[in-house]
Amino acid sequence: MARPLKESLDYFPLDIDFDQDDKLIVPLSKFGMEGLGIIVKLMGEVYRKGYFYPWTEREHYVFSNRVNVDVNLVKELVNDCIKWGFFNQELFEDHHILTSKGFQKRFIEAAKRRKVISIQEDYLLVDPEVEVKKVSHSIVIVDADGKTVNVYINPDKRNKEDAEIPQSKVKESKEKKSKEKSNKELPPEPLPPSGDDPSHDLKKGNGVKEKPKPKYDEENQYFKMAVYFKTKVDEMAEAEGLMHLTAKTNLQTWANDFRLLVEVDKHQDKNLILQVMDWVVTDSFWKSNVLSASKFRDQFPKLVLEMRNKSRAKQGRNYSGSSAKTKIDVVPSVTDGHQVSDEEMAELMEFARQMSGKPDA
Protein backbone atom coordinates (compact mmCIF):
# COMPACT_ATOMS: atom_id res chain seq x y z
CA MET A 1 0.00 0.00 0.00
CA ALA A 2 1.37 3.41 -0.96
CA ARG A 3 1.92 6.03 1.68
CA PRO A 4 -1.09 8.34 2.11
CA LEU A 5 -0.76 11.82 0.66
CA LYS A 6 0.18 14.42 3.28
CA GLU A 7 0.36 18.19 2.99
CA SER A 8 1.96 20.13 5.83
CA LEU A 9 1.05 23.61 7.06
CA ASP A 10 3.52 26.33 8.00
CA TYR A 11 1.17 27.60 10.71
CA PHE A 12 -2.21 26.73 12.19
CA PRO A 13 -4.95 28.85 13.81
CA LEU A 14 -5.49 28.52 17.56
CA ASP A 15 -8.62 30.02 19.11
CA ILE A 16 -7.92 31.91 22.33
CA ASP A 17 -10.57 29.89 24.16
CA PHE A 18 -9.83 26.50 22.63
CA ASP A 19 -9.09 25.14 26.13
CA GLN A 20 -12.79 25.67 26.96
CA ASP A 21 -13.78 22.95 24.48
CA ASP A 22 -16.06 20.39 26.15
CA LYS A 23 -13.89 17.64 24.69
CA LEU A 24 -10.90 18.89 26.71
CA ILE A 25 -12.61 19.40 30.08
CA VAL A 26 -11.62 16.02 31.51
CA PRO A 27 -8.07 15.80 30.04
CA LEU A 28 -7.21 19.31 31.25
CA SER A 29 -8.77 18.67 34.65
CA LYS A 30 -6.57 15.59 35.07
CA PHE A 31 -3.31 16.85 33.57
CA GLY A 32 -3.49 20.63 34.09
CA MET A 33 -1.11 23.02 32.33
CA GLU A 34 1.30 20.22 31.45
CA GLY A 35 -1.53 18.47 29.61
CA LEU A 36 -2.43 21.71 27.83
CA GLY A 37 1.14 22.08 26.58
CA ILE A 38 1.24 18.49 25.33
CA ILE A 39 -2.07 18.94 23.47
CA VAL A 40 -0.82 22.09 21.72
CA LYS A 41 2.35 20.22 20.66
CA LEU A 42 0.19 17.35 19.36
CA MET A 43 -1.85 19.84 17.34
CA GLY A 44 1.41 21.09 15.85
CA GLU A 45 2.33 17.53 14.84
CA VAL A 46 -1.09 17.02 13.22
CA TYR A 47 -0.74 20.15 11.09
CA ARG A 48 2.91 19.38 10.37
CA LYS A 49 1.60 16.31 8.55
CA GLY A 50 -1.42 18.15 7.17
CA TYR A 51 -4.61 17.01 8.83
CA PHE A 52 -3.66 13.84 10.75
CA TYR A 53 -0.81 12.43 12.83
CA PRO A 54 0.10 8.71 12.89
CA TRP A 55 -0.07 7.42 16.47
CA THR A 56 1.77 4.11 16.66
CA GLU A 57 4.29 2.80 19.18
CA ARG A 58 7.11 4.56 17.34
CA GLU A 59 5.39 7.95 17.58
CA HIS A 60 4.66 7.34 21.29
CA TYR A 61 8.39 7.39 22.05
CA VAL A 62 9.47 9.92 19.42
CA PHE A 63 6.89 12.48 20.53
CA SER A 64 7.46 11.84 24.26
CA ASN A 65 11.20 12.35 23.78
CA ARG A 66 10.56 15.50 21.78
CA VAL A 67 8.46 17.11 24.53
CA ASN A 68 10.55 15.56 27.36
CA VAL A 69 7.54 13.96 29.09
CA ASP A 70 7.12 10.38 30.33
CA VAL A 71 5.70 8.22 27.55
CA ASN A 72 3.05 6.65 29.82
CA LEU A 73 1.71 10.09 30.77
CA VAL A 74 1.53 11.10 27.09
CA LYS A 75 -0.30 7.88 26.15
CA GLU A 76 -2.79 8.32 28.98
CA LEU A 77 -3.48 11.92 27.94
CA VAL A 78 -3.98 10.95 24.28
CA ASN A 79 -6.31 8.10 25.28
CA ASP A 80 -8.42 10.58 27.25
CA CYS A 81 -8.50 12.96 24.26
CA ILE A 82 -9.71 10.09 22.08
CA LYS A 83 -12.26 8.95 24.68
CA TRP A 84 -13.81 12.42 25.01
CA GLY A 85 -13.86 13.12 21.26
CA PHE A 86 -11.01 15.60 20.76
CA PHE A 87 -9.57 13.02 18.34
CA ASN A 88 -11.85 10.75 16.27
CA GLN A 89 -12.01 7.35 17.96
CA GLU A 90 -13.10 5.36 14.91
CA LEU A 91 -10.21 6.52 12.74
CA PHE A 92 -7.77 5.91 15.58
CA GLU A 93 -9.01 2.34 16.03
CA ASP A 94 -9.08 1.61 12.27
CA HIS A 95 -5.96 3.46 11.08
CA HIS A 96 -3.99 4.46 14.22
CA ILE A 97 -4.10 8.18 13.38
CA LEU A 98 -5.04 11.29 15.34
CA THR A 99 -7.46 13.58 13.51
CA SER A 100 -10.96 15.02 13.78
CA LYS A 101 -13.52 16.93 11.76
CA GLY A 102 -12.27 20.16 13.33
CA PHE A 103 -8.66 19.45 12.35
CA GLN A 104 -9.70 18.76 8.76
CA LYS A 105 -11.82 21.92 8.52
CA ARG A 106 -8.99 24.08 9.86
CA PHE A 107 -6.54 22.39 7.48
CA ILE A 108 -8.76 23.20 4.50
CA GLU A 109 -9.20 26.79 5.71
CA ALA A 110 -5.45 27.31 6.12
CA ALA A 111 -4.70 25.74 2.71
CA LYS A 112 -7.60 27.38 0.86
CA ARG A 113 -5.36 29.24 -1.61
CA ARG A 114 -3.64 26.12 -2.88
CA LYS A 115 -4.55 24.95 -6.35
CA VAL A 116 -5.40 21.48 -5.08
CA ILE A 117 -6.16 20.20 -1.59
CA SER A 118 -5.94 16.42 -1.26
CA ILE A 119 -7.58 14.31 1.45
CA GLN A 120 -7.44 10.54 1.73
CA GLU A 121 -10.84 8.91 1.32
CA ASP A 122 -10.47 6.58 4.31
CA TYR A 123 -9.67 9.51 6.61
CA LEU A 124 -12.41 11.86 5.38
CA LEU A 125 -14.67 13.33 8.09
CA VAL A 126 -15.84 16.57 6.44
CA ASP A 127 -18.30 17.07 3.58
CA PRO A 128 -16.21 18.09 0.52
CA GLU A 129 -19.23 19.61 -1.25
CA VAL A 130 -19.61 22.03 1.65
CA GLU A 131 -15.92 22.71 2.28
CA VAL A 132 -15.03 23.33 -1.38
CA LYS A 133 -17.11 26.51 -1.29
CA LYS A 134 -14.56 27.98 1.16
CA VAL A 135 -11.47 27.40 -0.98
CA SER A 136 -10.00 29.03 -4.10
CA HIS A 137 -9.70 25.93 -6.27
CA SER A 138 -10.66 22.29 -5.73
CA ILE A 139 -10.60 19.46 -3.18
CA VAL A 140 -9.39 16.08 -4.41
CA ILE A 141 -10.31 12.85 -2.66
CA VAL A 142 -7.74 10.09 -3.15
CA ASP A 143 -7.63 6.43 -2.18
CA ALA A 144 -4.91 4.71 -0.13
CA ASP A 145 -2.77 4.33 -3.27
CA GLY A 146 -2.93 8.05 -4.06
CA LYS A 147 -5.33 7.62 -7.00
CA THR A 148 -8.05 10.23 -7.45
CA VAL A 149 -11.51 9.10 -6.43
CA ASN A 150 -13.47 12.37 -6.62
CA VAL A 151 -12.70 15.96 -7.52
CA TYR A 152 -14.83 18.74 -6.05
CA ILE A 153 -14.45 21.98 -8.03
CA ASN A 154 -15.16 25.31 -6.35
CA PRO A 155 -18.51 26.39 -7.86
CA ASP A 156 -17.51 30.08 -7.62
CA LYS A 157 -14.74 29.41 -10.14
CA ARG A 158 -16.92 27.70 -12.77
CA ASN A 159 -18.57 30.71 -14.40
CA LYS A 160 -15.99 33.23 -15.58
CA GLU A 161 -17.12 33.63 -19.21
CA ASP A 162 -17.85 37.33 -18.84
CA ALA A 163 -14.32 38.07 -17.71
CA GLU A 164 -12.48 35.91 -20.28
CA ILE A 165 -11.29 36.66 -23.80
CA PRO A 166 -12.71 34.58 -26.74
CA GLN A 167 -9.51 32.56 -27.14
CA SER A 168 -9.71 31.34 -23.56
CA LYS A 169 -13.36 30.37 -24.06
CA VAL A 170 -12.47 28.19 -27.05
CA LYS A 171 -9.68 26.54 -25.10
CA GLU A 172 -11.98 25.95 -22.13
CA SER A 173 -14.67 24.50 -24.41
CA LYS A 174 -12.21 21.97 -25.84
CA GLU A 175 -11.03 21.02 -22.36
CA LYS A 176 -14.63 20.66 -21.20
CA LYS A 177 -15.48 18.31 -24.06
CA SER A 178 -12.37 16.27 -23.33
CA LYS A 179 -13.34 15.99 -19.65
CA GLU A 180 -16.92 15.01 -20.49
CA LYS A 181 -15.66 12.28 -22.78
CA SER A 182 -13.32 10.87 -20.14
CA ASN A 183 -15.96 11.13 -17.44
CA LYS A 184 -18.34 8.95 -19.45
CA GLU A 185 -15.86 6.11 -19.04
CA LEU A 186 -15.78 6.50 -15.26
CA PRO A 187 -18.31 4.94 -12.87
CA PRO A 188 -20.73 7.28 -11.10
CA GLU A 189 -19.18 9.17 -8.19
CA PRO A 190 -20.26 7.90 -4.79
CA LEU A 191 -21.83 10.32 -2.33
CA PRO A 192 -19.05 11.70 -0.13
CA PRO A 193 -19.21 10.74 3.54
CA SER A 194 -20.68 13.40 5.74
CA GLY A 195 -18.53 12.78 8.82
CA ASP A 196 -19.50 11.98 12.37
CA ASP A 197 -21.66 15.06 12.99
CA PRO A 198 -25.14 13.90 14.16
CA SER A 199 -26.68 16.75 12.19
CA HIS A 200 -25.74 14.88 8.99
CA ASP A 201 -27.82 11.80 9.79
CA LEU A 202 -30.44 13.07 7.33
CA LYS A 203 -28.51 14.04 4.21
CA LYS A 204 -29.80 16.65 1.81
CA GLY A 205 -30.42 15.50 -1.72
CA ASN A 206 -30.96 11.81 -0.97
CA GLY A 207 -34.74 11.96 -1.07
CA VAL A 208 -35.17 11.97 2.71
CA LYS A 209 -36.76 15.09 4.15
CA GLU A 210 -35.45 16.36 7.45
CA LYS A 211 -38.09 16.13 10.16
CA PRO A 212 -39.13 19.56 11.45
CA LYS A 213 -38.55 20.22 15.12
CA PRO A 214 -41.73 20.18 17.23
CA LYS A 215 -43.16 23.42 18.58
CA TYR A 216 -43.76 23.77 22.32
CA ASP A 217 -46.39 25.99 23.88
CA GLU A 218 -45.96 27.66 27.26
CA GLU A 219 -47.88 24.92 29.08
CA ASN A 220 -45.68 22.15 27.74
CA GLN A 221 -43.59 20.45 30.45
CA TYR A 222 -40.39 20.67 28.39
CA PHE A 223 -40.93 24.37 27.71
CA LYS A 224 -41.42 24.92 31.44
CA MET A 225 -38.16 23.06 32.11
CA ALA A 226 -36.43 25.33 29.58
CA VAL A 227 -37.82 28.48 31.20
CA TYR A 228 -36.81 27.28 34.68
CA PHE A 229 -33.24 26.46 33.66
CA LYS A 230 -32.94 29.72 31.68
CA THR A 231 -33.96 31.63 34.81
CA LYS A 232 -31.33 29.81 36.88
CA VAL A 233 -28.60 30.35 34.29
CA ASP A 234 -29.47 34.04 33.90
CA GLU A 235 -29.31 34.61 37.67
CA MET A 236 -25.88 32.99 37.81
CA ALA A 237 -24.66 34.78 34.66
CA GLU A 238 -25.70 38.16 35.98
CA ALA A 239 -23.90 37.53 39.27
CA GLU A 240 -20.74 36.36 37.47
CA GLY A 241 -20.79 39.00 34.71
CA LEU A 242 -21.45 36.42 31.97
CA MET A 243 -24.70 37.78 30.55
CA HIS A 244 -23.10 38.18 27.12
CA LEU A 245 -22.79 34.39 26.92
CA THR A 246 -26.49 33.76 27.57
CA ALA A 247 -28.07 36.64 25.66
CA LYS A 248 -29.01 34.61 22.58
CA THR A 249 -31.31 31.88 23.78
CA ASN A 250 -33.99 30.02 21.85
CA LEU A 251 -36.40 28.53 24.37
CA GLN A 252 -37.93 26.30 21.69
CA THR A 253 -34.50 24.75 21.08
CA TRP A 254 -33.92 24.39 24.82
CA ALA A 255 -37.32 22.73 25.23
CA ASN A 256 -36.47 20.28 22.47
CA ASP A 257 -33.15 19.46 24.17
CA PHE A 258 -34.97 18.65 27.41
CA ARG A 259 -37.44 16.46 25.47
CA LEU A 260 -34.52 14.55 23.95
CA LEU A 261 -32.94 14.21 27.39
CA VAL A 262 -36.11 12.59 28.74
CA GLU A 263 -37.51 10.68 25.76
CA VAL A 264 -34.39 9.71 23.80
CA ASP A 265 -31.69 9.55 26.49
CA LYS A 266 -34.24 7.96 28.90
CA HIS A 267 -33.40 10.20 31.87
CA GLN A 268 -36.97 10.24 33.11
CA ASP A 269 -36.48 11.20 36.76
CA LYS A 270 -37.62 14.81 36.52
CA ASN A 271 -36.89 15.45 40.21
CA LEU A 272 -33.27 14.45 39.57
CA ILE A 273 -33.13 16.73 36.52
CA LEU A 274 -34.44 19.60 38.66
CA GLN A 275 -31.82 18.89 41.35
CA VAL A 276 -29.03 18.98 38.77
CA MET A 277 -30.39 22.27 37.35
CA ASP A 278 -30.24 23.81 40.82
CA TRP A 279 -26.78 22.39 41.52
CA VAL A 280 -24.98 23.05 38.26
CA VAL A 281 -25.41 26.85 38.48
CA THR A 282 -23.74 26.83 41.91
CA ASP A 283 -20.77 24.56 41.20
CA SER A 284 -17.54 26.54 40.81
CA PHE A 285 -16.46 24.59 37.72
CA TRP A 286 -19.64 23.65 35.88
CA LYS A 287 -21.55 26.92 36.22
CA SER A 288 -19.43 28.59 33.55
CA ASN A 289 -19.30 25.51 31.31
CA VAL A 290 -22.98 24.55 31.17
CA LEU A 291 -24.80 27.63 29.88
CA SER A 292 -27.35 25.97 27.60
CA ALA A 293 -29.79 23.09 27.52
CA SER A 294 -27.74 21.26 24.88
CA LYS A 295 -24.61 21.35 27.10
CA PHE A 296 -26.78 20.28 30.04
CA ARG A 297 -28.03 17.29 28.06
CA ASP A 298 -24.56 16.33 26.79
CA GLN A 299 -23.02 16.43 30.27
CA PHE A 300 -26.02 15.17 32.29
CA PRO A 301 -24.67 11.73 33.35
CA LYS A 302 -21.37 13.31 34.37
CA LEU A 303 -23.17 16.10 36.23
CA VAL A 304 -25.26 13.59 38.21
CA LEU A 305 -22.17 11.64 39.30
CA GLU A 306 -20.23 14.74 40.29
CA MET A 307 -23.18 16.24 42.15
CA ARG A 308 -23.61 13.05 44.18
CA ASN A 309 -19.89 12.65 44.85
CA LYS A 310 -19.56 16.22 46.09
CA SER A 311 -22.69 15.83 48.20
CA ARG A 312 -21.30 12.68 49.87
CA ALA A 313 -17.95 14.38 50.48
CA LYS A 314 -19.67 17.37 52.04
CA GLN A 315 -21.80 15.15 54.28
CA GLY A 316 -18.67 13.31 55.37
CA ARG A 317 -16.96 16.54 56.37
CA ASN A 318 -20.01 17.74 58.26
CA TYR A 319 -20.30 14.45 60.10
CA SER A 320 -16.65 14.36 61.15
CA GLY A 321 -16.68 18.02 62.12
CA SER A 322 -19.82 17.83 64.26
CA SER A 323 -18.93 14.78 66.32
CA ALA A 324 -18.96 15.85 69.98
CA LYS A 325 -17.21 14.00 72.78
CA THR A 326 -19.16 13.17 75.92
CA LYS A 327 -18.08 15.38 78.80
CA ILE A 328 -16.68 13.47 81.76
CA ASP A 329 -16.29 15.38 85.00
CA VAL A 330 -13.11 14.71 86.95
CA VAL A 331 -14.83 15.87 90.07
CA PRO A 332 -18.52 15.67 90.83
CA SER A 333 -20.53 18.67 89.69
CA VAL A 334 -21.68 20.93 92.51
CA THR A 335 -24.15 22.93 90.48
CA ASP A 336 -27.10 20.80 91.53
CA GLY A 337 -27.36 22.40 94.97
CA HIS A 338 -25.43 19.68 96.85
CA GLN A 339 -23.31 21.13 99.68
CA VAL A 340 -19.81 19.67 99.90
CA SER A 341 -18.75 18.92 103.47
CA ASP A 342 -15.31 19.73 104.90
CA GLU A 343 -14.39 16.03 104.83
CA GLU A 344 -15.36 15.69 101.16
CA MET A 345 -13.41 18.82 100.31
CA ALA A 346 -10.32 17.44 102.11
CA GLU A 347 -10.60 14.18 100.16
CA LEU A 348 -10.90 16.08 96.88
CA MET A 349 -7.85 18.20 97.72
CA GLU A 350 -5.84 15.07 98.58
CA PHE A 351 -6.93 13.51 95.28
CA ALA A 352 -5.89 16.61 93.37
CA ARG A 353 -2.49 16.67 95.15
CA GLN A 354 -1.87 13.05 94.22
CA MET A 355 -2.84 13.63 90.60
CA SER A 356 -0.45 16.62 90.32
CA GLY A 357 2.41 14.69 91.92
CA LYS A 358 3.15 17.48 94.45
CA PRO A 359 4.45 16.67 97.95
CA ASP A 360 2.47 17.60 101.05
CA ALA A 361 2.60 21.28 101.89
Side-chain angles (χ1 to χ4, degrees):
M1 179 183 294
R3 294 183 56 161
L5 187 62
K6 305 169 186 174
E7 299 180 37
S8 63
L9 297 179
D10 295 326
Y11 69 93
F12 67 91
L14 187 65
D15 297 336
I16 59 173
D17 58 348
F18 91 99
D19 58 325
Q20 301 300 313
D21 191 331
D22 287 346
K23 302 179 183 71
L24 290 178
I25 288 176
V26 174
L28 294 184
S29 297
K30 290 176 63 175
F31 297 95
M33 292 303 296
E34 184 177 31
L36 179 63
I38 295 172
I39 290 170
V40 172
K41 290 293 291 184
L42 277 170
M43 293 174 70
E45 293 301 326
V46 171
Y47 292 119
R48 192 193 306 276
K49 301 293 184 182
Y51 55 91
F52 69 93
Y53 181 45
W55 193 242
T56 62
E57 185 176 6
R58 177 183 180 277
E59 278 74 23
H60 297 172
Y61 289 96
V62 171
F63 178 80
S64 300
N65 182 66
R66 187 173 296 160
V67 298
N68 195 26
V69 177
D70 180 70
V71 65
N72 293 318
L73 187 149
V74 172
K75 288 164 62 177
E76 185 180 356
L77 172 61
V78 171
N79 288 339
D80 273 359
C81 289
I82 294 170
K83 176 181 177 181
W84 296 103
F86 186 70
F87 297 118
N88 184 274
Q89 184 169 2
E90 183 177 352
L91 288 185
F92 170 72
E93 293 175 350
D94 293 345
H95 301 284
H96 301 290
I97 64 170
L98 301 179
T99 188
S100 71
K101 182 179 291 186
F103 279 107
Q104 294 183 13
K105 284 187 174 183
R106 286 187 289 272
F107 164 73
I108 292 172
E109 174 66 22
K112 64 183 179 182
R113 297 190 182 279
R114 295 180 180 176
K115 291 186 177 181
V116 177
I117 298 175
S118 299
I119 299 181
Q120 187 168 327
E121 183 181 27
D122 292 342
Y123 300 169
L124 188 64
L125 293 172
V126 297
D127 187 339
E129 290 185 337
V130 174
E131 298 301 322
V132 74
K133 298 175 183 178
K134 306 174 185 177
V135 303
S136 299
H137 297 283
S138 60
I139 296 178
V140 177
I141 310 302
V142 300
D143 61 18
D145 295 321
K147 297 179 180 178
T148 300
V149 178
N150 281 321
V151 179
Y152 297 88
I153 304 298
N154 189 327
D156 295 335
K157 304 298 178 182
R158 290 176 181 170
N159 300 315
K160 285 189 173 181
E161 290 82 2
D162 295 340
E164 294 175 350
I165 59 177
Q167 291 88 340
S168 64
K169 291 183 179 180
V170 173
K171 182 178 179 181
E172 182 179 333
S173 176
K174 290 181 179 180
E175 291 176 350
K176 184 177 180 182
K177 289 181 180 179
S178 176
K179 287 182 179 179
E180 289 176 351
K181 182 177 179 181
S182 60
N183 286 340
K184 288 180 181 179
E185 301 173 358
L186 296 174
E189 296 180 352
L191 185 69
S194 59
D196 53 3
D197 188 343
S199 64
H200 290 278
D201 288 344
L202 296 174
K203 303 180 182 66
K204 294 182 179 180
N206 63 355
V208 180
K209 293 184 178 180
E210 189 173 341
K211 292 177 63 178
K213 292 181 180 179
K215 298 293 183 180
Y216 304 90
D217 57 46
E218 294 182 358
E219 297 303 316
N220 183 275
Q221 61 172 335
Y222 301 122
F223 190 86
K224 290 180 179 179
M225 293 168 72
V227 171
Y228 181 82
F229 189 51
K230 179 66 166 61
T231 302
K232 288 287 184 180
V233 170
D234 283 348
E235 290 175 355
M236 180 279 300
E238 185 175 4
E240 299 291 336
L242 300 174
M243 287 299 292
H244 61 289
L245 299 179
T246 64
K248 297 180 180 180
T249 299
N250 187 327
L251 287 175
Q252 289 290 330
T253 301
W254 281 34
N256 193 57
D257 287 323
F258 282 116
R259 180 187 66 82
L260 295 173
L261 176 69
V262 175
E263 297 180 4
V264 177
D265 301 343
K266 303 302 181 184
H267 297 296
Q268 298 175 344
D269 188 342
K270 295 185 178 61
N271 288 329
L272 177 61
I273 294 174
L274 183 62
Q275 291 174 20
V276 177
M277 286 184 189
D278 292 337
W279 173 81
V280 73
V281 295
T282 64
D283 184 75
S284 59
F285 174 78
W286 288 109
K287 66 182 179 182
S288 60
N289 288 286
V290 179
L291 299 173
S292 68
S294 62
K295 291 287 182 66
F296 183 90
R297 179 194 173 200
D298 291 342
Q299 302 293 339
F300 185 74
K302 193 189 304 181
L303 294 175
V304 172
L305 290 175
E306 192 152 344
M307 179 185 72
R308 288 173 173 171
N309 288 338
K310 290 188 176 182
S311 177
R312 292 190 190 102
K314 183 177 180 181
Q315 290 175 1
R317 289 194 298 269
N318 290 341
Y319 178 80
S320 61
S322 62
S323 58
K325 296 182 179 180
T326 304
K327 181 180 179 181
I328 302 177
D329 292 333
V330 176
V331 297
S333 173
V334 296
T335 60
D336 56 358
H338 173 72
Q339 298 297 323
V340 181
S341 66
D342 293 340
E343 294 180 354
E344 290 175 330
M345 181 58 72
E347 291 178 358
L348 289 173
M349 292 298 291
E350 175 62 16
F351 176 75
R353 184 189 64 77
Q354 293 175 1
M355 291 297 293
S356 64
K358 294 181 180 180
D360 293 339

